[in-house]
Structure formats: C-alpha cells, structure tokens
Amino acid sequence: MNLPINIDHLLTARTVEWERLEFKEGWNPEAVLHTMCAFANDFHNLGGGYIIIGVKENKGNPILPPKGIAKNHIDKIQKEIIELGHKIQPYYHPIVVPTEYKEKYIIVLWCVGGQTRPYKAPLSLSKDEKRYAYYIRKAANTIIAKPQDEKELFSLAATVPFDDRINHTATINELNLGLIRSYLQQVKSDLFEQAAKMDFVQLCRNMNIVDGPDEYMRPKNVGLMFFNQEPHKYFPQTQIDIVHFPEGLGADSFSEKIFKGPLHMIIEKVLTHIQNQVITEKIIKRSNRPDADRFFNYPYIAIKEALCNAVYHRSYEIREPVEVRILPNSITIGSFPGPDSSISNKDIQASRFTSRRYRNRRVGEFLKELEITEGRGTGIPKMLHEVTKNGSPLPIFHTDEDRTFLTVEFPIHPLFLKQDNECVASREEIATRAQSRAQSRAQSEQVLNILATTPLSMIEIVQGLNLKSKTGALKRAVNELLSANYIEYTIPKKPNSRLQKYRLTKKGENYLKGLVKTN
C-alpha cells in the first residue's frame, strides 16, 4: 500500500503542518497509541495526521537522512499497531505504510479523522491500567483533553464534516481515474506509477475517497468534488461565478462567466482569468533613481488567497456559488456561510480569523497537497502582507450578525482611480467619492427600513421616502440591494410586472438587526 502523497514531500514540504505531523525516532507503542487517538479525534477538523516512525526530530524539524528501523522489525511493529488500534475505544486503525527512504526503512502511519469520534485510549500500556483519557492535538503536542476541550470534543460526536461523508447517491464509477492520476502526478505521489494498473477500488481506498464494505462501496463527497468532471450534479452551485460590472452595480450592463468542474481546476481557471483579464500594472519612472516603481491595481496573491479561502471554507450544503464581482474600483469575493461563531466581531474587524473549526477538512487537505493553499491560519496574514506590499488599501471583511455570508472587498490601488489622461485623484476628489458612497449607503438603508414591515412597489417606496419621483440614486440603491440579495422581487419571473413589489430577504432582515444593535 502507498500514500497519495510523496514521502519526500511529506518530510520536507512546508505545507504540511506540525499539528498534523509527528516524528518518532524509534518504536514507542504508548506514545504512538496516544497520538493515533489524538489524530482520530481530529479536534480541529484538519483531516487527521501522519506519524513517521524511524525519523528523529530537532525542534520539530526532521533530521535526515532518517535513523530508520531494522527491516526485520517491520512486520512485528505492524502487528503491534493493529493491537494498539483495538485498545482505542471505539477501535480505530490507521493506514500503515512501510517504505524505504534514503536507504533506510521507515513506517508512515496515516491517521485519518475518525468516523465515530470521540476516541479514548488507556493512559498506559500496563496490564493493570484501567484509566482512559481523550487525547487531542494542540500545536505540535499530543495532550489529554481538558474538561472544556472534552466537552467540545463530545459536541463533535458522530459529526463528520460534510466533505468526508459517504455520498449514497453516487457509485464508485463516478470517480474518474484520469483525474485521480493527474492529481497523484501533480503531488508527486508514489501511487502515480501504480495507479494505472492497480485495482481501482484499492486505489480509491488508499486515497481515502471511498468508504463502505466491498458490496456497498460508495464515494465520499470530497472524492466527487475533486475527481468527477461535474461535481455540481451532486452539490448544486458548486461553481465560481465572475460577474463584471464595468459601470458599477447600479448600471444596466454587466457580464457573467461561470466556472464549473473539479474544485482545484476551477480555482486555477478563475485565477488565470483574473490574472489575464483583470490585473493590470502601472510603472512610474523616478528621475532621482534608475529603478521604476511598479504597482498593480490589485495584488494577485492576495486575490488568490481570498478565493482559495472562499472555496475551502464555504458550505457545500448551501446552494450558493462563490461569487467574484469585478467593480470599477473594487473586487469582492463572497461565499456562504460566514466565519465560524468562535471568531468574534472584534477579531473580524482586526482581520484575525483563527478558528477552532474547519468546515471542510478534506477539501483543505487536498488543496494543501496541491500547494494551492498553505498551512492552517496563514491565508489572512499573507493576504494582508501582499496588499501592504503593493501599497493598496486594506481589504474590508463584510458579514452579518448570524454569519450567513462573508464578503472580502479589495479596494483598487489609489493610482488606478484616475481616468485616462487625468491626474491622480486629489484628496478633495477622494473625499467627494467617499461622501457619495455614504449617501448611497444611507439611501439603501432607508429602502431597507421602509420594507421592514411589508412589501412595497416602487411608487410606494418613492412615497415612503417622501420623494417627488424615482431618482437615479434610488434606482441605483434598489438595484444594488437586489444584486446583493438584501431584497427580492415578489414576482421574480416577471420583473417588469405592473404588480411587482419588493420585499426583504433573510439577509436583509439580518442586516437591519445588525443596524439596530449598532445604533
């Protein structure tokens, strides 16, 4: 059996986190038992982790070449690992892969997140030991869960993240061998060469993208998300929409491009589109030095991080796509739902998004192995670093009280605010634009407030706002609220019906609740 990841990559790549990796210089059954239990509990929904036996470490870094283990001990150790699995309650067994690395033999234990957590293990392997404890991972350490952690662990009982669940509506035939081999080649897995001739069921088991007995083998959701050409058939709105508003949200013209397919492929296609069609560079020559200053309207790496975070952290049970909006002076990337409730509003305002829970542990695992995303918790800091380096305004994070959505807004670099043949916007011009945006927001909030009690027609909205007629500002405000899903038509199939009215959506109601609390 082989792993769906290259051993050399596992030992040296920075994308593998220490919370998901532990080295053991030699065979230590008790320590291995506790770490197996901790990875099985998968406290942070990261997808479990790896234990590498035969590799010494120094401050978390592997010492290579490995010390290794004697070849004649491998079989005995494997049998003991099976015995250890039966000591965990409920019993749990990792995937055990003996392999030769740099002329030494090592054993890799792939401990995926368990389906029947929480798991507990004996405190020691003494014959008289009757005490058990729940073990979890914290940073690079395996520890006994504290009472609060234990309570939280029990709340996860029988709760398997959506992407790691069996999909009973599909069969293993829906998994595409070509896509699987392409992935294995990209991550430089040892399985790549064998995949074409290996039994397909065994290959899928090795990659942990199927589950169930041989007579009822079914793919996991994550397998369909990455290794099926049309995952949107199983998870509606599994797509990324790019909507371009060249004249702003209030204008009548816009263009839309929809990207569907395996998750990692649509991310790459969208990023290529943005890089080729949206990102532009401005070069300013300086008379006092030979090097010119280079700026981009939007820092590409920051946009990439935000897009990957949206795909990683969205819910695939909610039928809403990830949406990228290209506006004259900003780009927004939105997804549903919003940040985990463990992240406070204060942390959101300070751009701190360190969560105790990851919604899609397997999606994140695959994206990390493909090096599309980096380690846990690095996305937002990297985004902020790239924005600052480019001299762009800081991104703005929008959500509501109930965390039903998250939108990341990237304002355009100030140098790109000017039109052709114009000077850079003055402070007065910038202030005027800010005032205009504030007035537009005020108009939108007025519309929301008068719709709070009952649906109204446009004429009734005009009368409710004490306006003489439908103004351009009102029309823009209504269009923006429709586009942002704060309001909706009462007759959606006939937008121009004379009986048409507007009403608040759940999102609009939540926004108003937030305003009331703020005020």
Side-chain angles (χ1 to χ4, degrees), residues 299-307 382-384 386-387 410:
Y300 169 74
I301 298 299
I303 298 295
K304 175 185 176 183
E305 289 295 328
L307 180 69
K382 187 171 184 179
M383 186 190 307
L384 298 176
E386 293 297 328
V387 164
F410 292 92

Side-chain angles (χ1 to χ4, degrees), residues 42-105:
D42 197 16
F43 189 63
H44 293 290
N45 280 344
L46 296 173
Y50 300 89
I51 304 172
I52 302 182
I53 303 168
V55 177
K56 188 178 181 180
E57 57 87 20
N58 180 28
K59 297 181 179 179
N61 297 305
I63 298 177
L64 301 175
K67 181 178 179 180
I69 54 180
K71 184 177 180 180
N72 59 350
H73 289 171
I74 291 178
D75 188 57
K76 178 176 178 293
I77 291 175
Q78 289 187 88
K79 291 178 180 177
E80 289 189 45
I81 291 171
I82 294 174
E83 292 175 6
L84 291 179
H86 286 292
K87 292 184 181 296
I88 295 175
Q89 296 180 0
Y91 71 84
Y92 169 88
H93 293 100
I95 296 172
V96 184
V97 184
T99 187
E100 187 175 354
Y101 181 75
K102 295 188 182 297
E103 301 181 351
K104 296 287 185 178
Y105 288 98

Side-chain angles (χ1 to χ4, degrees), residues 448 485-487 504-513:
L448 291 174
N485 196 33
Y486 284 100
I487 63 175
L504 287 183
T505 62
K506 183 67 175 176
K507 182 177 175 183
E509 292 174 359
N510 290 334
Y511 181 80
L512 279 182
K513 290 178 184 176

Side-chain angles (χ1 to χ4, degrees), residues 485-498:
N485 196 33
Y486 284 100
I487 63 175
E488 63 186 3
Y489 291 123
T490 55
I491 312 175
K493 293 185 178 180
K494 296 181 179 180
N496 298 319
S497 171
R498 64 184 179 84

Side-chain angles (χ1 to χ4, degrees), residues 175-397:
L175 299 176
N176 185 295
L177 177 60
L179 290 175
I180 292 174
R181 292 195 74 227
S182 176
Y183 164 81
L184 293 173
Q185 184 179 36
Q186 196 169 344
V187 301
K188 300 178 181 178
S189 169
D190 298 333
L191 274 175
F192 171 67
E193 295 295 336
Q194 304 176 38
K197 52 188 177 182
M198 180 185 288
D199 176 73
F200 188 61
V201 172
Q202 187 58 53
L203 173 64
C204 293
R205 282 195 183 277
N206 282 16
M207 296 185 66
N208 192 24
I209 56 175
V210 298
D211 205 352
D214 290 338
E215 63 272 16
Y216 189 76
M217 180 71 58
R218 289 292 184 270
K220 290 188 175 183
N221 287 332
V222 71
L224 296 170
M225 291 174 186
F226 282 86
F227 307 119
N228 180 279
Q229 292 285 7
E230 299 178 308
H232 56 274
K233 288 186 176 181
Y234 303 95
F235 322 105
Q237 300 299 307
T238 296
Q239 62 193 55
I240 302 175
D241 296 352
I242 293 185
V243 190
H244 188 197
F245 297 91
E247 298 176 14
L249 287 173
D252 296 327
S253 63
F254 68 91
S255 61
E256 185 177 42
K257 191 172 180 64
I258 297 175
F259 295 82
K260 295 182 179 181
L263 290 188
H264 55 304
M265 292 186 174
I266 61 174
I267 290 175
E268 292 171 353
K269 289 178 181 177
V270 169
L271 290 174
T272 298
H273 177 87
I274 291 175
Q275 195 167 30
N276 293 338
Q277 304 296 325
V278 180
I279 304 295
T280 59
E281 184 182 21
K282 189 179 289 291
I283 301 174
I284 301 178
K285 295 183 179 180
R286 304 295 185 185
S287 58
N288 59 342
R289 51 187 170 84
D291 296 333
D293 290 331
R294 296 175 178 270
F295 302 95
F296 295 89
N297 55 346
Y298 303 101
Y300 169 74
I301 298 299
I303 298 295
K304 175 185 176 183
E305 289 295 328
L307 180 69
C308 291
N309 280 348
V311 173
Y312 183 177
H313 297 298
R314 65 157 288 185
S315 169
Y316 291 90
E317 296 177 272
I318 297 178
R319 298 189 174 194
E320 292 287 349
V322 171
E323 184 180 75
V324 180
R325 292 187 175 187
I326 313 297
L327 302 163
N329 293 328
S330 66
I331 290 178
T332 67
I333 299 175
S335 60
F336 300 85
D340 186 84
S341 58
S342 64
I343 304 173
S344 68
N345 290 331
K346 183 178 179 180
D347 286 336
I348 292 174
Q349 294 302 320
S351 302
R352 293 190 296 264
F353 285 78
T354 303
S355 173
R356 297 195 303 271
R357 289 287 169 268
Y358 280 68
R359 192 169 286 121
N360 301 302
R361 64 185 183 188
R362 297 299 306 285
V363 169
E365 180 182 313
F366 279 111
L367 292 180
K368 289 173 190 175
E369 304 302 358
L370 287 163
E371 299 185 359
I372 294 176
T373 62
E374 292 192 5
R376 170 174 165 264
T378 64
I380 300 299
K382 187 171 184 179
M383 186 190 307
L384 298 176
H385 172 75
E386 293 297 328
V387 164
T388 304
K389 186 171 72 172
N390 190 58
S392 298
L394 291 175
I396 305 167
F397 299 94

Side-chain angles (χ1 to χ4, degrees), residues 412-428:
I412 197 168
H413 191 289
L415 287 176
F416 291 81
L417 284 171
K418 66 176 184 177
Q419 303 296 322
D420 291 341
N421 301 319
E422 285 185 355
C423 295
V424 176
S426 65
R427 291 183 179 180
E428 291 76 18

